[in-house]
Amino acid sequence: MSKAGYENPENYSNRELSWLLFNKRVLSEARDKNNPLFERLKFLSITASNLDEFFMVRVASLKDMVNAGYTKPDIAGMTPTEQLLALNEATHDLVDKQYLVYNRSIIPQLKTNGLRVVAHHEDLTEKEAAYVDEYYEENVYPVLTPMAVDSSRPFPLIRNKTLNIGALVRKKDGKGELEFATVQVPSVLSRIVEIHTKNPSGNTQEKAVILLEEVIERNIHKLFLNYDIVCAHPFRIMRNADLSIEEDEAEDLLKEIEKQLKKRQWGQAIRLEVEEGIDKKLLKILVEDLHVRQEDIYRIDGPLDLTFLMKMYGLPGFDHLKEKAYAGPQPVPELPADCNIFEQIRKEDLLLFHPYESFGPVVEFIRQAAGDPDVLAIKQTLYRVSGNSPIIAALAQAAENGKQVSVLVELKARFDEENNIVWAKKLEKAGCHVIYGLVGLKTHSKITLVVRREEDGIRRYVHLGTGNYNDATAKLYTDVGLFTCASYIGEDATAVFNMLSGYSEPLSWNKLSLAPLWLKDRFLFLIGREKENALAGKEGHIIAKINSLCDKDVIEALYEAGAAGVKIELIIRGICCLKTGLPGIGENITVRSIVGNFLEHSRIFYFENGGKPEYYCASADWMPRNLERRVEIMFPIDRPELQKKLMTILQMQLRDTVKAHILTPSGAYEKVDKRGKGYFNSQLEFCNMAVQAAKKQELLVNSRVFIPEMHHE
Amino acid sequence: MSVKTFAAIDIGSYELAMKIFEVSKVRGMREIDHVRHGIDMGTETYTKGKLSHERVGELCRVLREFADIMKSYQVEDYVAYGTSAIRESENRSILLNQIALRTGIQINVLSNSEQRFLDYKSIAFQGEGFLKIIESGTAILDIGGGSIQISLFDNDTLVSTQNMKLGVLRIQEHLNQLGVSIRHYDRLVEEMLAPQMNVYKKLYLKDRQIKSIIIVDDYISTLVKHKMNDGVANGFVDKKKMEYFLEICHTKTLTELAKALDTPEENMPHLFIALKLVKSIMDDMGAEQLWVPGVTLCDGIAYEYAEKNKIITSTHDFEKDIVACAQNISKRYRGSKKRSETLEKIALTIFDSMKKVHGLGRRERLLLQISTILHDCGKYISMVNLGECSYSIIMATEIIGLSHMEREIVANVVKYNHLEFDYDEESGSLSTLDEDSYLKIAKLTAILRMANGLDRTHKQKFRNVKIALKEDELFITVDTEADITLEKGLFGARADFFQEVYHVRPVIRKKRIP
């Protein structure tokens, strides 16, 4: 097929719809009876928070486009209006499914397992009701701020993402008009109220909980003493209040929006969630005053905002309903506790696979560097770090110890800005040189450079990763990281930091490829080379494990390679705008998505290269924003043992029959057909492997037989 | 630990660069870091004569950062050199002092020939590749912001070097003033270059066969490293590849080109001019290939440092180049080779035997040698004003490898070989020199005069001469049967000056023939 053939928008999926499919896959984990019940709560909660973020960022952005009169079609040929329309349908469908899972399986299952969720306050027993009312008086009432609306009081500001109870009230003294009143469900209180009563049935095992909004609803008449409550229902809105314009969007859009700034409706409500069966008059008031479109109303069959389920996961007493199969992060055999990390890295490059292998050595690397008298400088990029980051503490310590510490802190990291500023200031105070991001670019690369003065001159130790330097998420995200002191990487790392400090790019790079300057071309080259090889009759093979694929140039290159006969196996957790089964390509390109206990986050690339395979890891996905508007790094893995480790990771993921979904030519994701393949959960296997490796090392250390060293370094 | 950390700083006309090196006897030179900051100082200096306030501020800010980087590597020593943008600025002393006070970095200004010599050194230190290439006819084309420099090799020795004010920034400045688009650069660069190249070919290149051109610059080097080098080893580029690249430059838009070459778009005009210059010169010389070793001035600075501190030694003899250059100049002005050789022999013999007295070193010996080679070049213009004319010729001719001050010493030594020495340190012609240089001139002049006197008749009677220093007397023993009455007679005045300078009385003796 000619190149032009694949340019057709029909050959691409819309990224937003593809994202919704991803959220559906997460939802399928919530539905999966093989998962422990409380894990299913968690997955359901994640689908809800995912969807919230999706609205705030993506839907808001599309609304902006529509408001700005921007009509340029996306990769799949859909205009923003068309996308919104399609999304609307798909989102409603997703929400319906969420509540189906909640009502049909989660709630009954919880009850069977001794946790009764009282859906409506009307269902409370007398004793329970008494307890709840007392709880209300003591804890809730003092923090409520009821607001009524009449001619003298305007419609109050309903804050983004908050849960509220709207009510229609009427003055007690007569036949006055219906008035609207609202009260925010306070976010300072726990959404879940445990009902502590002695159970009359004698079943002490059962625990009962009720949601805070039900407690308030039950007592709402106490807020409006001179009124009769005609009806009261919870509601929640999402606003387009994001002041920053999404980096993903085209530059011409930014110009367009700038021009039409006045047209943009700040704080426009883009989603209204209401309880199903809400009073019609009440809904009408909300819709009119909040200017919500009909299609943006979501009638919810159950409690609004399911993110409370994450809190429910934390309720004590249900550990037996949580995941136990996955072992925690294991010690890295090559980096035993108390070892000198620099010494170990000098022996050989090391590749760590988190969270199966502990993130501890990475923290330790910086900690040791901070205290090492031979270390001259530490340089690091930080994107998102944990609240009480040991890395930040080590960096500050290093600066206090007189080392030159440069840190690039990315302030543009979404939702984390405030947090980032706080500790960036802390670092500055300690004497670190802090760079607050680059103009127009987000620094997404994860790289650390330690410059050490040794016997025979300066040696540079580099850590390159696919995940953030965040010790908390490193326990939940799968990522790989490389430790090396190879001089060619060290030179490149120095050049990276020179560039980040505002100096010119180096005359040449040894091994690293950087976005936004060269990375995309590099990928296109690598994919193109496979195509050429396939055309020349050699074997062409690409395996890519990424989080998202939506860059058109990359997809086009993949299509062409696939058409030329290259075997392309893609493991893509989230968005995938590529379609499978296109004519001329058929099964040459396969896409699978793994959604499991850990969030798949590593980016690993394999290129056959005519029998001389090349392996890479990167901080970037195949998305335009990664390749064009971010500073990203791709690094090769050259050592054969490490290549083997990467290949094992890739192959095990390709073998997964439990947590993998396959993208079908129809555009849907389906679970792998297990027939003849057996049960294989790659994440679980990775855990087991790490445990075994750590055990073997432990045996070695604790062995009473001395093992003579046969080589001397 | 025998590893030294050294920083080389280049304050160029469009870029500030610093390289950090580790220098050790065992491992040689190892580049640790290379930091570059683009800053257009050339345009301001070339058009307005000095740098603007803002530019100086930027310069100081970056230099302060450089100082911090040096500190972080615990750099033990550094050398910072300014080139044409600093050299040509009217208020350079004020500027340099201000920079030193504000940044703590002491900048020395390189004369053009010193700068080119450092570039040349960094090429020569490439070792094997370099030695091999200069076996056949080779030219070095050093493209800077302000000017270009063409140096020629004969066999394996550098014999001439010429500077033309056709630097990339300067050309672009001209073209900007003409307000032409980049499409016309091709023709205009050609037209600017052609007249100068014609003269150059007639006077210097003559019938030399040039096979290879070694390129020193920033733009083409980057290009070659990035793009041109696929399949071509070690920076060699043939004619076809050059043509291909110019072709691309013609057919693509600037934006496309910048993307294709991984070069910032604003650099494209510079690259284009550089490519055009190289291509024209390549055609003019009939060269077949380019060698782009990708060296920078910083490398040269570091090599010079390592050589000076006896950490590394080059396989190439640079003094031979300097001598060859001087001989070439002498040849151009019809100097007598034979007489020069005699003079050189006598002068150097005196110099060597006087070591204890004059306290001068190897470098001064070289200056003396060059003075003997150039001692009579002014004759070409006037036999009467020999001293003045020689002085002018030497001052106007670049001798690669000599600093400006060294050239001035040579020129003065040659001058006062013929003229009365100018003692006036307050307002005489030597009053602009520092005391050290003034003394060197006096000392070397005294020796050259002596040598000249001994060969007064140009008959090389004193070819075999033995010289011995005995307390306050310098015995010059001649092994000749020729009559040396004239020499002895004219000797007096010269001996007086010699005695005045060294407090040693020269005495001529004729070896008795048995």
Side-chain angles (χ1 to χ4, degrees):
Chain A
M1 199 187 266
S2 73
K3 189 181 158 149
Y6 293 117
E7 276 175 358
N8 192 332
E10 275 175 24
N11 294 325
Y12 302 85
S13 302
N14 170 264
R15 63 170 281 181
E16 324 299 351
L17 292 170
S18 179
W19 182 87
L20 280 175
L21 289 179
F22 159 67
N23 213 22
K24 249 184 185 163
R25 294 196 288 284
V26 180
L27 185 59
S28 80
E29 287 301 307
R31 209 169 42 213
D32 189 344
K33 293 191 180 65
N34 294 317
N35 286 328
L37 180 60
F38 268 57
E39 299 301 326
R40 294 168 63 190
L41 290 183
K42 211 156 125 184
F43 281 116
L44 188 54
S45 166
I46 291 170
T47 63
S49 53
N50 276 354
L51 195 61
D52 281 354
E53 183 178 334
F54 179 71
F55 264 93
M56 297 226 304
V57 177
R58 304 301 310 174
V59 177
S61 189
L62 284 170
K63 294 258 180 190
D64 276 344
M65 292 192 207
V66 173
N67 289 340
Y70 185 82
T71 55
K72 199 163 145 189
D74 76 329
I75 187 171
M78 298 168 81
T79 64
T81 313
E82 286 168 342
Q83 292 182 57
L84 276 179
L85 212 66
L87 274 180
N88 216 287
E89 195 182 327
T91 320
H92 276 284
D93 180 56
L94 178 75
V95 171
D96 289 347
K97 286 206 167 71
Q98 278 180 323
Y99 283 89
L100 215 60
V101 173
Y102 179 80
N103 291 322
R104 296 267 181 86
S105 31
I106 302 281
I107 291 299
Q109 284 282 322
L110 284 174
K111 181 144 175 50
T112 319
N113 283 285
L115 180 61
R116 186 163 60 95
V117 182
V118 181
H120 304 287
H121 61 86
E122 293 87 346
D123 303 340
L124 290 167
T125 64
E126 215 168 292
K127 269 193 175 167
E128 286 171 340
Y131 174 84
V132 163
D133 290 344
E134 199 185 320
Y135 179 84
Y136 172 84
E137 295 290 349
E138 279 181 17
N139 301 296
V140 188
Y141 180 71
V143 290
L144 293 179
T145 313
M147 290 180 283
V149 179
D150 57 28
S151 49
S152 65
R153 287 168 294 200
F155 196 82
L157 175 79
I158 307 295
R159 298 186 59 192
N160 189 23
K161 276 176 82 180
T162 55
L163 188 59
N164 301 270
I165 297 172
L168 286 180
V169 295
R170 180 183 283 132
K171 279 236 166 72
K172 271 185 174 157
D173 53 10
K175 304 161 208 155
E177 295 247 321
L178 279 180
E179 287 175 34
F180 173 75
T182 181
V183 59
Q184 186 187 326
V185 178
S187 48
V188 290
L189 297 176
S190 165
R191 181 96 186 272
I192 300 165
V193 179
E194 284 184 64
I195 307 171
H196 298 286
T197 54
K198 285 210 180 85
N199 205 305
S201 66
N203 179 3
T204 47
Q205 293 299 312
E206 198 193 72
K207 204 174 237 182
V209 295
I210 188 166
L211 295 178
L212 185 56
E213 63 267 30
E214 287 296 321
V215 177
I216 298 171
E217 212 181 297
R218 182 181 157 80
N219 291 285
I220 197 160
H221 57 278
K222 296 176 187 163
L223 291 173
F224 305 97
L225 288 174
N226 295 324
Y227 293 86
D228 284 322
I229 309 295
V230 179
C231 65
H233 297 276
F235 71 95
R236 181 171 179 255
I237 60 163
M238 190 134 295
R239 289 182 188 275
N240 177 3
D242 189 8
L243 290 165
S244 67
I245 290 160
E246 253 303 82
E247 51 162 341
D248 296 86
E249 308 313 341
E251 268 172 56
D252 52 346
L253 167 70
L254 299 188
K255 283 181 200 138
E256 195 63 29
I257 287 180
E258 262 170 43
K259 257 192 281 171
Q260 311 221 6
L261 207 54
K262 280 177 204 150
K263 284 194 193 168
R264 190 177 181 186
Q265 297 176 31
W266 295 105
Q268 174 199 20
I270 55 174
R271 175 167 71 152
L272 170 66
E273 289 171 282
V274 295
E275 196 181 34
E276 201 168 61
I278 185 173
D279 183 277
K280 271 185 195 156
K281 276 175 267 167
L282 178 59
L283 180 60
K284 192 163 170 264
I285 292 173
L286 287 174
V287 169
E288 279 173 4
D289 282 301
L290 293 167
H291 309 286
V292 183
R293 292 161 185 257
Q294 279 303 318
E295 64 266 27
D296 293 332
I297 302 169
Y298 288 75
R299 290 161 198 274
I300 306 294
D301 180 18
L304 309 189
D305 187 6
L306 289 174
T307 55
F308 73 88
L309 291 172
M310 198 57 100
K311 292 271 159 16
M312 195 176 273
Y313 180 88
L315 282 181
F318 296 97
D319 281 355
H320 60 291
L321 297 172
K322 293 178 187 171
E323 190 63 79
K324 289 277 183 328
Y326 298 86
Q330 298 296 307
V332 182
E334 297 89 344
L335 294 169
D338 307 330
C339 72
N340 178 322
I341 292 197
F342 300 114
E343 206 177 295
Q344 301 300 322
I345 299 174
R346 274 200 300 280
K347 281 186 201 155
E348 56 184 12
D349 288 3
L350 296 171
L351 186 76
L352 270 52
F353 188 20
H354 313 297
Y356 314 110
E357 292 180 309
S358 166
F359 187 71
V362 179
V363 178
E364 194 55 29
F365 175 60
I366 295 158
R367 200 179 279 151
Q368 286 190 12
D372 186 335
D374 290 330
V375 166
L376 299 177
I378 306 174
K379 301 181 182 203
Q380 190 170 30
T381 59
L382 292 176
Y383 188 68
R384 284 179 182 178
V385 295
S386 61
N388 206 353
S389 170
I391 290 180
I392 301 286
L395 288 173
Q397 186 61 51
E400 277 161 20
N401 290 352
K403 321 224 168 284
Q404 196 228 343
V405 180
S406 309
V407 185
L408 188 139
V409 176
E410 186 44 78
L411 287 184
K412 292 178 222 96
R414 197 192 288 159
F415 307 130
D416 277 1
E417 279 179 40
E418 234 163 282
N419 184 24
N420 284 357
I421 290 174
V422 172
W423 54 256
K425 289 268 180 261
K426 216 190 277 177
L427 284 176
E428 229 169 26
K429 225 177 232 169
C432 301
H433 175 57
V434 179
I435 303 163
Y436 291 92
L438 303 178
V439 178
L441 288 173
K442 235 187 224 188
T443 309
H444 193 241
S445 56
K446 297 101 177 52
I447 179 168
T448 307
L449 167 69
V450 170
V451 183
R452 201 161 177 269
R453 181 159 213 171
E454 297 181 359
E455 199 66 19
D456 52 350
I458 283 182
R459 196 188 299 270
R460 282 171 276 217
Y461 296 83
V462 181
H463 178 267
L464 284 156
T466 65
N468 296 318
Y469 288 112
N470 183 324
D471 50 298
T473 56
K475 292 182 185 125
L476 306 169
Y477 292 13
T478 75
D479 273 303
V480 291
L482 173 75
F483 278 119
T484 181
C485 61
S487 57
Y488 48 82
I489 300 265
E491 284 164 17
D492 281 356
T494 300
V496 168
F497 283 102
N498 283 344
M499 280 193 77
L500 294 180
S501 311
Y503 295 110
S504 311
E505 61 188 77
L507 297 175
S508 64
W509 296 89
N510 300 319
K511 289 278 182 178
L512 301 186
S513 304
L514 257 76
L517 299 171
W518 308 275
L519 184 54
K520 184 165 177 174
D521 289 342
R522 181 80 192 145
F523 275 129
L524 294 178
F525 165 78
L526 290 168
I527 297 168
R529 190 172 65 187
E530 292 304 311
K531 180 182 89 174
E532 298 301 323
N533 283 343
L535 289 175
K538 286 186 252 179
E539 193 193 337
H541 191 183
I542 297 170
I543 308 175
K545 183 198 171 311
I546 47 180
N547 303 330
S548 302
L549 167 56
C550 56
D551 186 89
K552 190 165 187 209
D553 300 324
V554 172
I555 299 176
E556 232 175 87
L558 288 170
Y559 281 152
E560 283 169 35
V566 178
K567 184 180 178 190
I568 300 172
E569 297 175 284
L570 303 173
I571 308 165
I572 305 171
R573 182 195 79 211
I575 301 166
C576 175
C577 297
L578 171 140
K579 285 187 173 176
T580 55
L582 291 187
I585 299 174
E587 289 179 6
N588 285 350
I589 303 182
T590 58
V591 178
R592 58 168 47 215
S593 165
I594 291 177
V595 176
N597 189 55
F598 302 115
L599 182 78
E600 288 295 335
H601 193 255
S602 57
R603 288 94 170 184
I604 304 170
F605 304 92
Y606 168 86
F607 297 93
E608 177 72 23
N609 188 26
K612 284 175 282 176
E614 288 178 4
Y615 291 78
Y616 299 93
C617 298
S619 58
D621 285 312
W622 280 342
M623 297 174 95
R625 71 165 186 219
N626 288 123
L627 301 173
E628 289 161 19
R629 279 181 287 283
R630 284 183 173 185
V631 178
E632 306 267 11
I633 298 178
M634 177 168 81
F635 51 100
I637 302 293
D638 291 337
R639 262 191 67 217
E641 300 93 289
L642 302 187
Q643 292 187 339
K644 220 174 111 192
K645 191 168 175 178
L646 280 183
M647 192 37 118
T648 307
I649 295 173
L650 292 174
Q651 272 170 349
M652 284 171 64
Q653 298 223 317
L654 290 171
R655 261 179 71 198
D656 196 304
T657 55
V658 179
K659 299 292 179 188
H661 288 79
I662 308 288
L663 175 61
T664 64
S666 72
Y669 282 83
E670 287 173 4
K671 277 242 164 151
V672 178
D673 185 356
K674 289 193 192 61
R675 272 175 302 182
K677 288 182 190 135
Y679 181 95
F680 191 83
N681 178 344
S682 58
Q683 291 190 345
L684 195 56
E685 293 305 317
F686 291 138
C687 277
N688 296 341
M689 276 169 61
V691 169
Q692 270 164 17
K695 256 191 197 146
K696 212 168 121 192
Q697 177 65 22
E698 202 182 345
L699 278 178
L700 222 61
V701 171
N702 295 336
S703 160
R704 295 193 67 94
V705 179
F706 301 124
I707 302 165
E709 287 251 22
M710 301 309 281
H711 300 282
H712 185 69
E713 280 291 319
Chain B
M1 190 164 59
S2 61
V3 183
K4 272 199 137 188
T5 320
F6 172 78
I9 300 175
D10 165 17
I11 291 108
S13 33
Y14 46 78
E15 189 177 84
L16 298 175
M18 175 169 75
K19 277 195 183 188
I20 310 279
F21 291 93
E22 267 177 10
V23 209
S24 72
K25 277 206 169 88
V26 187
R27 290 168 61 176
M29 314 252 309
R30 186 174 153 233
E31 183 184 319
I32 299 287
D33 205 340
H34 186 186
V35 195
R36 297 181 302 138
H37 173 83
I39 173 173
D40 181 0
M41 298 196 289
T43 308
E44 285 184 359
T45 303
Y46 305 149
T47 54
K48 299 193 190 92
K50 47 181 134 175
L51 290 180
S52 69
H53 203 65
E54 293 73 37
R55 210 56 88 194
V56 176
E58 187 184 351
L59 176 61
C60 287
R61 179 180 61 79
V62 177
L63 284 176
R64 265 199 304 272
E65 286 177 23
F66 280 10
D68 283 344
I69 295 174
M70 284 198 270
K71 212 168 94 195
S72 80
Y73 282 109
Q74 299 179 354
V75 164
E76 289 149 79
D77 221 340
Y78 77 93
V79 170
Y81 280 141
T83 58
S84 67
I86 302 278
R87 186 167 63 233
E88 293 185 24
S89 79
E90 292 162 0
N91 59 347
R92 82 182 206 200
S93 296
I94 296 171
L95 177 66
L96 292 180
N97 181 252
Q98 202 182 98
I99 293 171
L101 289 175
R102 285 173 64 183
T103 68
I105 290 180
Q106 205 75 46
I107 300 172
N108 296 311
V109 177
L110 284 179
S111 71
N112 180 61
S113 55
E114 285 171 299
Q115 180 191 342
R116 307 303 174 169
F117 187 57
L118 285 180
D119 282 344
Y120 166 47
K121 260 196 178 163
S122 63
I123 301 170
F125 268 95
Q126 301 295 305
E128 295 254 320
F130 171 71
L131 293 179
K132 208 166 171 227
I133 208 168
I134 57 170
E135 276 171 15
S136 50
T138 302
I140 297 180
L141 174 57
D142 187 343
I143 305 174
S147 61
I148 63 172
Q149 184 92 8
I150 305 179
S151 312
L152 295 177
F153 280 90
D154 201 4
N155 293 319
D156 56 358
T157 324
L158 189 81
V159 288
S160 89
T161 184
Q162 277 302 316
N163 186 269
M164 303 178 201
K165 295 236 163 184
L166 289 169
V168 171
L169 280 185
R170 213 185 289 265
I171 291 184
Q172 207 210 350
E173 195 49 43
H174 279 303
L175 296 178
N176 280 350
Q177 280 166 14
L178 298 176
V180 291
S181 80
I182 193 156
R183 292 272 158 252
H184 302 285
Y185 277 22
D186 208 12
R187 186 172 52 81
L188 289 166
V189 171
E190 179 90 56
E191 282 178 5
M192 285 168 80
L193 178 69
Q196 302 219 28
M197 272 313 280
N198 282 337
V199 174
Y200 180 79
K201 267 180 4 196
K202 247 182 248 159
L203 283 179
Y204 301 99
L205 188 62
K206 294 182 180 157
D207 49 2
R208 276 202 177 82
Q209 286 299 311
I210 298 298
K211 198 179 145 208
S212 317
I213 300 180
I214 302 174
I215 303 287
V216 182
D217 86 322
D218 284 330
Y219 300 109
I220 296 179
S221 297
T222 312
L223 179 68
V224 167
K225 273 218 159 160
H226 271 319
K227 287 281 166 184
M228 268 171 148
N229 220 10
D230 42 318
V232 196
N234 306 327
F236 283 98
V237 177
D238 60 13
K239 222 172 150 168
K240 249 170 75 186
K241 200 123 207 184
M242 252 335 258
E243 272 160 15
Y244 165 72
F245 259 90
L246 268 176
E247 177 65 31
I248 289 186
C249 289
H250 282 296
T251 50
K252 288 201 174 173
T253 69
L254 275 191
T255 317
E256 282 172 348
L257 206 55
K259 196 165 182 293
L261 303 179
D262 287 338
T263 314
E265 201 171 321
E266 71 257 26
N267 284 358
M268 290 316 297
H270 299 163
L271 172 68
F272 194 79
I273 293 169
L275 272 173
K276 183 65 204 160
L277 281 173
V278 171
K279 180 65 175 46
S280 300
I281 292 171
M282 210 175 170
D283 289 346
D284 271 338
M285 292 184 169
E288 292 158 26
Q289 63 168 2
L290 299 179
W291 184 45
V292 191
V295 294
T296 65
L297 183 62
C298 286
D299 295 300
I301 298 174
Y303 284 122
E304 185 197 51
Y305 172 80
E307 210 189 5
K308 234 184 215 163
N309 289 280
K310 302 196 171 56
I311 300 169
I312 54 171
T313 45
S314 167
T315 43
H316 185 81
D317 185 354
F318 293 104
E319 289 193 356
K320 206 172 134 200
D321 288 331
I322 300 173
V323 171
C325 260
Q327 282 167 344
N328 214 44
I329 295 165
S330 167
K331 195 172 149 197
R332 193 183 312 140
Y333 297 107
R334 312 267 165 88
S336 154
K337 199 175 168 195
K338 235 175 165 182
R339 176 152 156 77
S340 285
E341 278 168 5
T342 311
L343 258 186
E344 183 181 324
K345 186 150 186 277
I346 302 171
L348 293 181
T349 315
I350 297 173
F351 183 92
D352 293 344
S353 53
M354 293 281 293
K355 227 171 221 163
K356 270 189 211 152
V357 182
H358 59 55
L360 298 174
R362 213 184 128 81
R363 191 73 185 170
E364 286 73 28
R365 191 179 188 274
L366 180 70
L367 297 183
L368 179 62
Q369 187 182 2
I370 292 169
S371 306
T372 62
I373 295 169
L374 296 175
H375 79 283
D376 61 348
C377 59
K379 253 193 325 209
Y380 185 77
I381 294 166
S382 158
M383 289 181 66
V384 178
N385 287 326
L386 181 53
E388 289 291 355
C389 291
S390 300
Y391 176 86
S392 299
I393 285 177
I394 295 169
M395 285 312 288
T397 312
E398 268 191 270
I399 304 169
I400 203 163
L402 288 194
S403 70
H404 185 83
M405 185 54 76
E406 288 173 328
R407 189 140 42 103
E408 195 148 358
I409 291 173
V410 170
N412 276 304
V413 171
V414 172
K415 178 173 162 187
Y416 292 112
N417 179 36
H418 303 290
L419 299 178
E420 245 345 274
F421 192 76
D422 189 349
Y423 293 101
D424 187 354
E425 277 183 72
E426 296 300 320
S427 55
S429 58
L430 294 177
S431 59
T432 51
L433 299 174
D434 61 282
E435 188 175 319
D436 191 41
S437 306
Y438 174 86
L439 288 176
K440 277 180 192 166
I441 292 170
K443 288 177 181 175
L444 295 180
T445 305
I447 296 177
L448 184 60
R449 276 195 189 183
M450 277 278 297
N452 202 28
L454 290 176
D455 193 37
R456 188 68 192 82
T457 54
H458 297 201
K459 286 192 176 139
Q460 288 89 44
K461 294 176 196 165
F462 284 69
R463 181 162 268 175
N464 297 310
V465 66
K466 277 208 179 101
I467 295 167
L469 179 68
K470 278 180 190 152
E471 287 175 17
D472 286 351
E473 284 181 319
L474 186 74
F475 292 100
I476 303 168
T477 315
V478 207
D479 182 7
T480 178
E481 288 179 32
D483 176 26
I484 55 165
T485 319
L486 183 61
E487 282 79 3
K488 266 192 161 169
L490 290 169
F491 190 62
R494 291 165 198 276
D496 287 345
F497 185 65
F498 192 87
Q499 191 173 20
E500 181 187 337
V501 172
Y502 291 113
H503 196 67
V504 168
R505 184 76 196 169
V507 179
I508 298 189
R509 280 186 190 168
K510 196 165 166 179
K511 196 177 173 188
R512 309 239 178 258
I513 296 156

